[in-house]
Amino acid sequence: MDNRPIGFLDSGVGGLTVVRELMRQLPHEEIVYIGDSARTPYGPRPAEQIRQYTWELVRFLLTKNVKMIVFACNTATAVAWEEVKEKLDIPVLGVILPGSSAAIKSTVKGKIGVIGTAMTVQSDIYKQKIHLLAPQMEVTSLACPKFVSIVESNEISSSVAKKIVYDSLAPLVGRVDTLVLGCTHYPLLRPLIQNAMGEKVKLIDSGAECVRDISVLLNYFQINRRRELTDQKGSHRFYTTAGITGFKTIADNWLDQKISVEHVTL
Ligand code: DGL
């Protein structure tokens, strides 16, 4: 047993898609979340800067006495996960390996699409990880740089959002049977993405897939939180580097509960 919280990091609100799934699958675990919305998006930034920002988020989570850190951000996973994992003595999980395995499991025709930020696509990491496991897969990657800003500005229901999603995904339509949402912000656009790609295409939520790995690790290291503590509601802590209101509006809506958010300067 280990009653300490699990730490989550993201460039903004995207990691909440992982948190929602964690709350569903492992409701007794306690969460500390940091979203760097003041400096989002990370995707178009140089690797060295993303690395530096990610370390700042990691150090912040370590001050909160977390038992595990989850990179709820594909971009940070692509750039810094291996390095951070080597340096820390608590488990550090990323979202790319779970997303890759789930895509391999899901595809019928061996044609997998991956959408992500400019950095995630440029790093080619999904293709590499998928090919390590299953070299016969055809992997087509596409950067969708406009999606993160739509989510961060809470415009997911606007007609502009619909047009951007349809236009951006046009090159992939009809070419893949499985599409990895290789950015944790994208599940907030899921209905639009599904419509644009067509009903038959299976969407893989890399963040949600990672929750299964969290569960396995908690069991393996026997560091689950005591179930008796589950009733102590309101112990989750959410931090943002930007304004509280924008973060809270999106989080309350997405997590379907009122959360408490604090502003933090890194
Ligand atoms: N949510 C992040 C990801 O999964 C980062 C998006 C960004 O800041 O560009 O890639």
Side-chain angles (χ1 to χ4, degrees):
M1 292 289 168
D2 187 334
N3 299 327
R4 291 177 298 164
I6 302 176
F8 291 82
L9 65 85
D10 182 47
S11 65
V13 295
L16 294 172
T17 61
V18 188
V19 165
R20 182 163 94 164
E21 195 55 28
L22 184 108
M23 287 173 159
R24 196 178 70 80
Q25 291 187 35
L26 298 166
H28 39 276
E29 291 299 331
E30 191 183 4
I31 293 156
V32 176
Y33 183 99
I34 172 85
D36 195 6
S37 290
R39 299 188 292 197
T40 201
Y42 279 14
R45 295 180 185 275
E48 184 46 39
Q49 197 173 42
I50 298 170
R51 195 181 146 264
Q52 184 201 321
Y53 289 177
T54 305
W55 268 111
E56 287 175 16
L57 298 175
V58 167
R59 282 191 206 103
F60 173 80
L61 288 174
L62 290 175
T63 67
K64 303 293 169 197
N65 193 26
V66 292
K67 63 181 168 188
M68 175 189 284
I69 290 182
V70 178
F71 276 35
C73 174
N74 289 260
T75 311
T77 306
V79 173
W81 174 64
E82 304 262 359
E83 178 188 330
V84 173
K85 179 169 66 84
E86 290 305 313
K87 297 238 162 83
L88 301 195
D89 52 12
I90 52 171
V92 182
L93 270 147
V95 281
I96 290 175
L97 287 176
S100 302
S101 321
I104 294 169
K105 192 172 162 206
S106 146
T107 185
V108 175
K109 296 185 182 148
K111 292 183 192 303
I112 300 171
V114 178
I115 52 173
T117 65
M119 177 52 76
T120 301
V121 168
Q122 184 191 316
S123 75
D124 211 26
I125 189 152
Y126 268 101
K127 197 186 214 166
Q128 288 166 18
K129 299 297 179 195
I130 291 170
H131 280 167
L132 266 181
L133 299 167
Q136 76 281 16
M137 297 288 160
E138 197 180 303
V139 182
T140 313
S141 305
L142 178 73
C144 299
K146 293 179 180 162
F147 288 11
V148 170
S149 313
I150 299 174
V151 173
E152 286 288 330
S153 56
N154 202 14
E155 280 170 40
I156 52 177
S157 308
S158 68
S159 52
V160 177
K162 188 173 177 188
K163 180 164 168 37
I164 288 174
V165 170
Y166 273 66
D167 289 352
S168 304
L169 295 178
L172 286 180
V173 174
R175 292 184 56 191
V176 299
D177 69 1
T178 295
L179 180 68
V180 180
L181 307 182
C183 169
T184 52
H185 281 72
Y186 297 177
L188 283 125
L189 293 165
R190 190 180 185 119
L192 290 179
I193 295 172
Q194 187 74 69
N195 270 338
M197 293 304 295
E199 290 264 298
K200 291 202 178 116
V201 173
K202 287 202 193 115
L203 302 185
I204 304 294
D205 179 340
S206 56
E209 295 299 332
C210 134
V211 175
R212 206 165 312 150
D213 285 17
I214 297 175
S215 180
V216 170
L217 277 184
L218 291 174
N219 290 332
Y220 183 79
F221 290 112
Q222 299 190 309
I223 52 172
N224 297 283
R225 187 164 186 259
R226 263 181 44 225
R227 271 154 210 270
E228 300 87 286
L229 298 174
T230 310
D231 283 345
Q232 296 173 7
K233 290 253 183 274
S235 48
H236 301 315
R237 281 162 290 162
F238 293 85
Y239 298 90
T240 175
T241 56
I244 290 172
T245 318
F247 187 96
K248 188 170 161 49
T249 308
I250 297 171
D252 283 355
N253 199 15
W254 182 251
L255 300 176
D256 201 19
Q257 57 182 272
K258 298 261 177 265
I259 59 147
S260 72
V261 188
E262 269 178 58
H263 172 80
V264 68
T265 312
L266 295 174

